[in-house]
Structure formats: structure tokens, C-alpha cells
Coordinates of all heavy atoms in Angstrom, one line a residue:
L109 N -6.6 -6.3 -17.7 CA -5.8 -5.1 -17.4 C -5.2 -4.5 -18.6 O -4.8 -5.3 -19.5 CB -4.9 -5.3 -16.3 CG -5.3 -5.7 -14.9 CD1 -4.1 -6.0 -14.0 CD2 -6.2 -4.7 -14.3
Q110 N -5.1 -3.2 -18.7 CA -4.4 -2.6 -19.8 C -2.9 -2.8 -19.7 O -2.4 -3.1 -18.6 CB -4.6 -1.1 -19.7 CG -6.0 -0.6 -20.1 CD -6.2 0.9 -20.0 OE1 -5.4 1.6 -19.4 NE2 -7.3 1.3 -20.5
T111 N -2.2 -2.8 -20.8 CA -0.8 -3.1 -20.8 C 0.0 -2.2 -19.9 O 0.9 -2.7 -19.1 CB -0.2 -3.0 -22.3 OG1 -1.1 -3.7 -23.1 CG2 1.2 -3.5 -22.4
Q112 N -0.4 -0.9 -19.9 CA 0.4 0.0 -19.0 C 0.2 -0.4 -17.6 O 1.1 -0.3 -16.7 CB -0.2 1.4 -19.3 CG 0.6 2.5 -18.5 CD 0.0 3.8 -18.6 OE1 -0.9 4.1 -19.4 NE2 0.4 4.7 -17.7
T113 N -1.1 -0.7 -17.2 CA -1.4 -1.1 -15.8 C -0.6 -2.4 -15.5 O -0.1 -2.5 -14.4 CB -2.9 -1.4 -15.6 OG1 -3.6 -0.2 -16.1 CG2 -3.2 -1.6 -14.1
Q114 N -0.6 -3.4 -16.4 CA 0.2 -4.6 -16.1 C 1.7 -4.3 -15.9 O 2.3 -4.9 -14.9 CB 0.0 -5.6 -17.3 CG -1.3 -6.1 -17.5 CD -1.4 -7.0 -18.6 OE1 -0.5 -7.5 -19.2 NE2 -2.6 -7.3 -19.1
T115 N 2.2 -3.4 -16.8 CA 3.6 -3.1 -16.6 C 3.9 -2.4 -15.2 O 4.9 -2.7 -14.5 CB 4.0 -2.0 -17.8 OG1 3.7 -2.7 -19.0 CG2 5.5 -1.8 -17.7
E116 N 2.9 -1.5 -14.9 CA 3.1 -0.8 -13.5 C 3.1 -1.8 -12.4 O 3.9 -1.7 -11.5 CB 2.0 0.2 -13.3 CG 2.2 1.5 -14.0 CD 1.0 2.4 -13.9 OE1 0.0 2.1 -13.1 OE2 0.9 3.4 -14.5
L117 N 2.2 -2.8 -12.4 CA 2.1 -3.8 -11.4 C 3.3 -4.6 -11.3 O 3.8 -5.0 -10.3 CB 0.8 -4.7 -11.6 CG -0.5 -4.0 -11.4 CD1 -1.6 -5.0 -11.7 CD2 -0.6 -3.6 -9.9
L118 N 3.8 -5.1 -12.5 CA 5.1 -5.9 -12.6 C 6.3 -5.1 -12.0 O 7.1 -5.8 -11.5 CB 5.3 -6.4 -14.0 CG 4.3 -7.4 -14.6 CD1 4.5 -7.7 -16.0 CD2 4.5 -8.7 -13.8
N119 N 6.3 -3.8 -12.2 CA 7.4 -3.0 -11.7 C 7.2 -2.6 -10.3 O 8.1 -1.9 -9.8 CB 7.6 -1.8 -12.7 CG 8.1 -2.3 -14.0 OD1 8.7 -3.3 -14.1 ND2 7.8 -1.5 -15.1
T120 N 6.1 -2.9 -9.7 CA 5.8 -2.4 -8.4 C 6.4 -3.3 -7.3 O 6.4 -4.4 -7.4 CB 4.3 -2.3 -8.1 OG1 3.8 -1.4 -9.1 CG2 4.0 -1.8 -6.7
D121 N 7.1 -2.7 -6.4 CA 7.7 -3.4 -5.3 C 6.5 -4.1 -4.4 O 5.7 -3.4 -4.0 CB 8.5 -2.4 -4.4 CG 9.4 -3.1 -3.4 OD1 9.7 -4.3 -3.6 OD2 9.8 -2.5 -2.4
P122 N 6.6 -5.4 -4.4 CA 5.4 -6.1 -3.6 C 5.5 -5.7 -2.1 O 6.6 -5.6 -1.5 CB 5.7 -7.6 -3.8 CG 7.1 -7.6 -4.3 CD 7.5 -6.3 -4.9
L123 N 4.3 -5.5 -1.6 CA 4.2 -5.2 -0.2 C 3.5 -6.4 0.6 O 2.7 -7.0 0.1 CB 3.4 -3.9 0.0 CG 3.9 -2.6 -0.6 CD1 3.0 -1.5 -0.7 CD2 5.1 -2.2 0.3
F124 N 4.0 -6.5 1.8 CA 3.4 -7.6 2.6 C 2.9 -7.0 3.9 O 3.5 -6.2 4.6 CB 4.5 -8.7 2.9 CG 5.0 -9.2 1.6 CD1 6.1 -8.8 1.1 CD2 4.3 -10.3 0.9 CE1 6.7 -9.3 0.0 CE2 4.8 -10.8 -0.3 CZ 6.1 -10.3 -0.7
F125 N 1.8 -7.5 4.4 CA 1.2 -7.1 5.6 C 1.8 -7.7 6.8 O 2.0 -8.9 6.7 CB -0.4 -7.3 5.6 CG -1.0 -6.8 6.9 CD1 -1.2 -5.5 7.2 CD2 -1.5 -7.8 7.8 CE1 -1.7 -5.1 8.4 CE2 -2.1 -7.4 8.9 CZ -2.2 -6.1 9.3
L126 N 2.2 -7.0 7.7 CA 2.8 -7.6 8.9 C 1.8 -7.3 10.1 O 1.2 -6.3 10.2 CB 4.1 -6.9 9.3 CG 5.3 -7.3 8.4 CD1 6.5 -6.6 8.9 CD2 5.6 -8.8 8.4
S127 N 1.8 -8.3 11.0 CA 0.8 -8.1 12.1 C 1.5 -7.2 13.3 O 0.9 -6.8 14.2 CB 0.5 -9.4 12.7 OG 1.6 -10.1 13.1
T128 N 2.8 -7.0 13.1 CA 3.6 -6.2 14.1 C 3.1 -4.8 14.1 O 2.7 -4.3 13.1 CB 5.1 -6.3 13.9 OG1 5.3 -5.9 12.6 CG2 5.6 -7.6 14.1
L129 N 3.1 -4.1 15.2 CA 2.8 -2.7 15.3 C 4.0 -1.9 15.6 O 4.9 -2.3 16.3 CB 1.7 -2.5 16.4 CG 0.4 -3.4 16.2 CD1 -0.5 -3.2 17.4 CD2 -0.4 -2.9 14.9
T130 N 3.9 -0.6 15.2 CA 5.0 0.3 15.5 C 4.7 0.8 17.0 O 3.7 0.4 17.6 CB 4.9 1.6 14.6 OG1 3.7 2.2 14.8 CG2 5.1 1.2 13.2
A131 N 5.5 1.7 17.5 CA 5.4 2.1 18.8 C 4.1 2.9 18.9 O 3.5 2.9 20.0 CB 6.6 3.1 19.2
A132 N 3.6 3.5 17.9 CA 2.3 4.2 17.9 C 1.2 3.3 17.7 O 0.0 3.7 17.5 CB 2.4 5.3 16.8
E133 N 1.3 1.9 17.8 CA 0.3 0.9 17.6 C -0.3 1.0 16.2 O -1.5 0.8 16.0 CB -0.8 1.2 18.7 CG -0.3 1.1 20.1 CD 0.1 -0.4 20.5 OE1 -0.6 -1.3 20.2 OE2 1.2 -0.6 21.1
R134 N 0.5 1.3 15.2 CA 0.0 1.2 13.9 C 0.5 0.0 13.1 O 1.6 -0.4 13.3 CB 0.5 2.5 13.1 CG 0.0 3.8 13.7 CD 0.5 4.9 12.8 NE 0.2 6.2 13.5 CZ -0.9 6.8 13.6 NH1 -2.0 6.2 13.1 NH2 -1.0 8.0 14.3
P135 N -0.3 -0.6 12.3 CA 0.1 -1.7 11.4 C 1.2 -1.3 10.5 O 1.3 -0.1 10.1 CB -1.1 -2.2 10.7 CG -2.1 -1.1 10.7 CD -1.7 -0.2 11.9
V136 N 2.1 -2.2 10.1 CA 3.2 -1.9 9.2 C 3.2 -2.7 7.9 O 2.8 -3.9 7.9 CB 4.5 -2.2 10.0 CG1 5.7 -2.1 9.0 CG2 4.7 -1.3 11.1
L137 N 3.3 -2.0 6.7 CA 3.5 -2.7 5.5 C 5.0 -2.8 5.3 O 5.8 -1.9 5.4 CB 3.0 -1.9 4.3 CG 1.4 -1.9 4.3 CD1 1.0 -0.7 3.2 CD2 0.8 -3.1 3.8
R138 N 5.4 -4.0 4.8 CA 6.9 -4.3 4.7 C 7.2 -4.5 3.2 O 6.4 -5.3 2.5 CB 7.3 -5.4 5.5 CG 8.8 -5.7 5.5 CD 9.1 -6.8 6.4 NE 10.4 -7.1 6.3 CZ 11.0 -8.3 6.7 NH1 10.3 -9.2 7.2 NH2 12.3 -8.4 6.7
S139 N 8.3 -3.9 2.6 CA 8.7 -4.2 1.3 C 10.1 -4.5 1.4 O 10.8 -4.3 2.4 CB 8.4 -3.0 0.3 OG 9.4 -2.1 0.5
S140 N 10.8 -4.9 0.2 CA 12.2 -5.2 0.2 C 13.0 -3.9 0.4 O 14.2 -4.0 0.7 CB 12.6 -5.9 -1.1 OG 12.2 -5.1 -2.2
T141 N 12.4 -2.7 0.2 CA 13.2 -1.5 0.3 C 12.9 -0.7 1.5 O 13.8 0.0 2.0 CB 13.0 -0.6 -0.9 OG1 11.6 -0.5 -1.1 CG2 13.6 -1.2 -2.2
A142 N 11.7 -0.8 2.1 CA 11.4 0.0 3.2 C 10.2 -0.6 3.9 O 9.4 -1.3 3.3 CB 11.2 1.4 2.9
D143 N 10.0 -0.2 5.2 CA 8.7 -0.5 5.9 C 7.9 0.8 6.0 O 8.5 1.8 6.0 CB 9.0 -1.1 7.3 CG 9.7 -2.4 7.3 OD1 9.6 -3.0 6.2 OD2 10.2 -2.8 8.3
Y144 N 6.5 0.6 6.0 CA 5.7 1.7 6.0 C 4.7 1.6 7.1 O 4.0 0.6 7.2 CB 4.9 1.8 4.6 CG 5.8 2.0 3.4 CD1 6.4 0.9 2.8 CD2 6.1 3.3 2.9 CE1 7.2 1.1 1.7 CE2 6.9 3.4 1.8 CZ 7.5 2.4 1.2 OH 8.3 2.4 0.2
S145 N 4.5 2.6 7.9 CA 3.5 2.6 8.9 C 2.2 3.2 8.4 O 2.2 4.3 7.6 CB 4.0 3.6 10.0 OG 3.0 3.8 11.0
I146 N 1.1 2.5 8.5 CA -0.1 2.9 7.9 C -0.8 3.9 8.8 O -1.1 3.7 10.0 CB -1.1 1.7 7.8 CG1 -0.5 0.6 6.9 CG2 -2.5 2.1 7.2 CD1 -1.2 -0.7 6.8
L147 N -1.0 5.1 8.3 CA -1.6 6.2 9.1 C -3.1 6.3 9.0 O -3.8 6.4 10.0 CB -1.0 7.6 8.6 CG 0.5 7.6 8.6 CD1 1.0 9.0 8.1 CD2 1.0 7.4 10.1
E148 N -3.7 6.2 7.7 CA -5.1 6.2 7.5 C -5.4 5.7 6.1 O -4.5 5.7 5.2 CB -5.6 7.6 7.8 CG -5.1 8.6 6.8 CD -5.7 10.0 7.1 OE1 -7.0 10.1 7.0 OE2 -4.9 10.9 7.4
R149 N -6.7 5.4 5.9 CA -7.2 5.0 4.5 C -7.7 6.4 3.9 O -8.4 7.0 4.5 CB -8.2 4.0 4.6 CG -8.4 3.3 3.3 CD -9.4 2.1 3.5 NE -10.7 2.6 3.0 CZ -11.8 1.9 3.0 NH1 -11.7 0.7 3.6 NH2 -12.9 2.4 2.5
I150 N -7.1 6.7 2.7 CA -7.5 8.0 2.2 C -8.4 7.9 0.9 O -8.9 8.9 0.4 CB -6.2 8.9 1.8 CG1 -5.3 8.1 0.9 CG2 -5.6 9.4 3.1 CD1 -4.1 9.0 0.6
G151 N -8.6 6.7 0.4 CA -9.4 6.6 -0.8 C -9.6 5.2 -1.3 O -9.0 4.3 -0.9
E152 N -10.5 5.1 -2.3 CA -10.8 3.8 -2.9 C -11.1 4.0 -4.4 O -11.9 4.9 -4.7 CB -11.9 3.1 -2.1 CG -12.2 1.7 -2.7 CD -13.1 0.9 -1.7 OE1 -13.5 1.5 -0.7 OE2 -13.4 -0.2 -2.0
G153 N -10.6 3.2 -5.3 CA -10.8 3.2 -6.7 C -11.3 1.9 -7.2 O -11.6 1.0 -6.3
S154 N -11.4 1.7 -8.5 CA -11.9 0.5 -9.1 C -10.9 -0.7 -8.7 O -11.3 -1.8 -8.6 CB -12.0 0.6 -10.5 OG -12.5 1.8 -11.0
F155 N -9.5 -0.4 -8.7 CA -8.6 -1.4 -8.6 C -8.1 -1.7 -7.2 O -7.4 -2.7 -6.8 CB -7.4 -1.1 -9.4 CG -7.7 -1.1 -10.9 CD1 -7.8 0.2 -11.6 CD2 -8.0 -2.2 -11.6 CE1 -8.1 0.2 -12.9 CE2 -8.3 -2.2 -12.9 CZ -8.4 -1.0 -13.6
G156 N -8.5 -0.8 -6.2 CA -8.0 -1.1 -4.8 C -8.3 0.1 -3.9 O -9.0 1.1 -4.3
K157 N -7.5 0.0 -2.8 CA -7.7 1.1 -1.8 C -6.3 1.9 -1.6 O -5.3 1.3 -1.8 CB -8.1 0.5 -0.4 CG -9.4 -0.1 -0.5 CD -9.8 -0.8 0.8 CE -11.2 -1.5 0.6 NZ -11.6 -2.3 1.7
V158 N -6.4 3.1 -1.3 CA -5.2 3.9 -1.1 C -5.0 4.2 0.4 O -5.9 4.7 1.0 CB -5.4 5.2 -2.0 CG1 -4.1 6.0 -1.8 CG2 -5.5 4.8 -3.4
L159 N -3.8 4.0 0.9 CA -3.6 4.3 2.3 C -2.4 5.4 2.3 O -1.5 5.5 1.6 CB -2.9 3.0 2.9 CG -3.7 1.7 2.8 CD1 -2.9 0.5 3.3 CD2 -5.0 1.8 3.5
K160 N -2.7 6.2 3.4 CA -1.7 7.2 3.6 C -0.7 6.5 4.7 O -1.1 6.0 5.7 CB -2.2 8.4 4.4 CG -1.3 9.5 4.7 CD -2.0 10.7 5.4 CE -1.1 11.8 5.8 NZ -1.9 12.8 6.5
C161 N 0.6 6.5 4.2 CA 1.6 5.8 5.0 C 2.9 6.6 5.2 O 3.1 7.6 4.5 CB 2.1 4.5 4.3 SG 0.8 3.3 4.0
Q162 N 3.6 6.2 6.2 CA 4.9 6.9 6.5 C 6.0 5.9 6.3 O 6.0 4.8 6.8 CB 5.0 7.4 7.9 CG 6.2 8.2 8.2 CD 6.2 8.7 9.6 OE1 5.6 8.2 10.6 NE2 7.0 9.7 9.9
N163 N 7.0 6.3 5.4 CA 8.1 5.5 5.2 C 9.0 5.5 6.4 O 9.5 6.6 6.8 CB 8.9 6.0 3.9 CG 10.1 5.2 3.5 OD1 10.8 4.7 4.4 ND2 10.4 5.2 2.3
L164 N 9.2 4.4 7.0 CA 9.8 4.4 8.3 C 11.4 4.6 8.2 O 12.1 4.8 9.2 CB 9.6 3.1 9.1 CG 8.1 3.0 9.6 CD1 7.8 1.6 10.1 CD2 7.7 4.1 10.5
K165 N 11.8 4.4 7.0 CA 13.3 4.6 6.7 C 13.6 6.2 6.6 O 14.6 6.6 7.1 CB 13.6 4.0 5.4 CG 15.0 3.3 5.3 CD 15.1 2.5 4.1 CE 16.4 1.6 4.0 NZ 16.4 0.9 2.8
N166 N 12.8 6.9 5.9 CA 13.1 8.3 5.7 C 12.0 9.3 6.2 O 12.1 10.5 6.0 CB 13.4 8.7 4.2 CG 12.2 8.3 3.3 OD1 11.1 8.3 3.8 ND2 12.4 8.2 2.0
N167 N 11.0 8.8 6.9 CA 9.9 9.5 7.5 C 9.0 10.2 6.4 O 8.2 11.0 6.8 CB 10.4 10.5 8.5 CG 10.8 9.8 9.8 OD1 10.2 8.7 10.1 ND2 11.8 10.3 10.5
K168 N 9.2 10.0 5.1 CA 8.4 10.7 4.2 C 7.0 10.1 4.2 O 6.8 8.8 4.3 CB 8.9 10.5 2.8 CG 10.2 11.5 2.5 CD 10.6 11.4 1.1 CE 11.8 12.5 0.9 NZ 12.3 12.4 -0.4
T169 N 5.9 11.0 4.0 CA 4.6 10.4 3.9 C 4.3 10.1 2.4 O 4.7 10.9 1.5 CB 3.6 11.6 4.4 OG1 4.0 12.0 5.7 CG2 2.2 11.2 4.3
V170 N 3.7 8.9 2.2 CA 3.4 8.5 0.9 C 2.0 7.9 0.7 O 1.4 7.6 1.8 CB 4.4 7.4 0.4 CG1 5.9 7.9 0.4 CG2 4.3 6.2 1.4
A171 N 1.5 7.8 -0.5 CA 0.3 7.1 -0.8 C 0.6 5.7 -1.3 O 1.4 5.6 -2.2 CB -0.5 7.9 -1.7
V172 N 0.0 4.7 -0.7 CA 0.3 3.3 -1.2 C -1.1 2.7 -1.6 O -2.1 2.8 -0.9 CB 0.8 2.5 0.0 CG1 1.0 1.0 -0.5 CG2 2.2 3.0 0.4
K173 N -1.1 2.3 -2.8 CA -2.3 1.6 -3.4 C -2.3 0.1 -3.1 O -1.3 -0.6 -3.5 CB -2.5 1.9 -4.8 CG -3.9 1.4 -5.3 CD -4.0 1.6 -6.8 CE -4.2 3.1 -7.2 NZ -4.6 3.3 -8.6
I174 N -3.3 -0.5 -2.5 CA -3.4 -1.9 -2.2 C -4.3 -2.5 -3.3 O -5.5 -2.1 -3.3 CB -3.8 -2.2 -0.8 CG1 -3.0 -1.5 0.3 CG2 -3.9 -3.7 -0.6 CD1 -1.7 -1.9 0.3
I175 N -3.8 -3.3 -4.2 CA -4.6 -3.8 -5.3 C -5.5 -4.9 -4.8 O -5.1 -5.8 -4.1 CB -3.7 -4.3 -6.4 CG1 -2.7 -3.2 -6.9 CG2 -4.5 -4.8 -7.6 CD1 -3.3 -2.0 -7.4
K176 N -6.7 -4.8 -5.3 CA -7.7 -6.0 -5.0 C -7.3 -7.3 -5.6 O -6.6 -7.3 -6.6 CB -9.1 -5.6 -5.6 CG -9.8 -4.5 -4.9 CD -11.1 -4.2 -5.5 CE -11.7 -2.9 -5.0 NZ -12.9 -2.5 -5.8
D177 N -7.7 -8.4 -4.9 CA -7.3 -9.7 -5.4 C -8.4 -10.1 -6.5 O -9.3 -9.3 -6.8 CB -7.2 -10.7 -4.3 CG -8.4 -11.0 -3.6 OD1 -9.6 -10.7 -4.2 OD2 -8.4 -11.5 -2.5
A178 N -8.2 -11.3 -7.1 CA -9.1 -11.7 -8.1 C -10.6 -11.8 -7.7 O -11.5 -11.7 -8.6 CB -8.7 -13.1 -8.7
N179 N -10.8 -11.8 -6.4 CA -12.2 -11.9 -5.9 C -12.7 -10.4 -5.5 O -13.8 -10.3 -5.0 CB -12.3 -12.8 -4.7 CG -12.0 -14.2 -5.0 OD1 -12.4 -14.7 -6.0 ND2 -11.2 -14.8 -4.2
G180 N -11.9 -9.4 -5.8 CA -12.3 -8.1 -5.5 C -12.1 -7.7 -4.1 O -12.6 -6.7 -3.6
Q181 N -11.3 -8.6 -3.4 CA -11.1 -8.3 -1.9 C -9.8 -7.6 -1.7 O -8.9 -7.8 -2.5 CB -11.1 -9.6 -1.1 CG -12.4 -10.4 -1.2 CD -13.6 -9.6 -0.7 OE1 -13.5 -9.1 0.5 NE2 -14.6 -9.5 -1.4
C182 N -9.7 -6.8 -0.6 CA -8.5 -6.0 -0.3 C -8.2 -6.3 1.1 O -9.1 -6.6 1.9 CB -8.8 -4.5 -0.5 SG -7.5 -3.6 -1.2
L183 N -6.9 -6.3 1.5 CA -6.5 -6.5 2.9 C -7.1 -5.5 3.8 O -7.3 -5.8 5.0 CB -5.0 -6.4 3.0 CG -4.2 -7.8 2.8 CD1 -2.8 -7.5 2.9 CD2 -4.6 -8.8 3.8
F184 N -7.4 -4.3 3.4 CA -7.8 -3.2 4.3 C -9.2 -2.7 4.0 O -9.6 -2.6 2.9 CB -6.7 -2.1 4.3 CG -5.5 -2.5 4.5 CD1 -4.5 -2.9 3.6 CD2 -5.0 -2.6 5.9 CE1 -3.2 -3.3 3.8 CE2 -3.7 -3.1 6.2 CZ -2.9 -3.4 5.2
Ligands
ATP292 N1 -1.1 10.0 -4.4 C1 -2.3 10.3 -3.8 N2 -2.4 11.2 -2.8 C2 -3.5 11.4 -2.1 N3 -4.7 10.8 -2.3 C3 -4.7 9.8 -3.3 C4 -3.4 9.5 -4.1 N4 -3.7 8.5 -4.9 C5 -5.1 8.3 -4.8 N5 -5.6 9.1 -3.8 C6 -7.0 9.0 -3.2 O1 -7.5 7.7 -3.4 C7 -8.7 7.7 -4.3 C8 -8.7 6.4 -5.1 O2 -7.6 6.4 -6.0 P1 -7.3 5.4 -7.1 O3 -6.1 5.8 -7.8 O4 -7.3 4.0 -6.5 O5 -8.7 5.4 -8.0 P2 -9.2 6.5 -9.0 O6 -8.1 6.8 -10.1 O7 -9.6 7.7 -8.2 O8 -10.4 5.8 -9.5 P3 -10.5 4.6 -10.6 O9 -9.3 3.6 -10.3 O10 -11.8 3.9 -10.2 O11 -10.5 5.2 -12.0 C9 -8.5 9.0 -5.1 O12 -9.8 9.4 -5.5 C10 -7.9 9.9 -4.1 O13 -8.9 10.5 -3.2

């Protein structure tokens, strides 16, 4: 990985997949700062997949990139 990408990853808040569902039956990503309801998958690049999510703390819609693991696999 390029140094800039490594720095970005090190500074990124780690997200964890939870099996719990919101009232709308959507899966939730949890981080130390907020939980995110997954709305849909909006794209895919070389390094991972991009999900459209809603921050359940402030209701803002955000894009969350899920980075592939060493085997090129992604949770979604
Ligand atoms: N902030 C965003 N808002 C909306 N869609 C996004 C956002 N970021 C990424 N996407 C969508 O997800 C796709 C994949 O994005 P990603 O950044 O993973 O890869 P890329 O930069 O397009 O390609 P690569 O990483 O292979 O050079 C994009 O092509 C775009 O369609």
C-alpha cells in the first residue's frame, strides 16, 4: 500500500459488523463513535466495497468503505 493509504487506514475508525438489525431490519455497522445502518451497496473498487449508510447518531447519510482482507474478501 502507498504511504498515504496506510496513513488513512491507520487513522480510520475501525468498524465492526453486528448481526443486530435496526427497526427497519437493516444490518448495523458499529464504531467507537457511532453506529451506522447499512442502506445499500453503492460501489466497488480495487481495495473494497462502498456502502451507503446512515449515521444513527445524527441521521446523516455517509459512504463507508469496507476494505478487503488479505485474501481479497469483503464482509459484504
Ligand atoms: N463518497 C462516495 N459517495 C458516493 N459514491 C461513492 C463514494 N465513494 C465511492 N463511491 C462509489 O463507490 C465506487 C468505488 O469507490 P472506491 O473508492 O472503492 O474505488 P475507486 O476509487 O472508484 O476505484 P479504485 O480504488 O479501484 O481506484 C466509486 O466508483 C463510486 O461509484
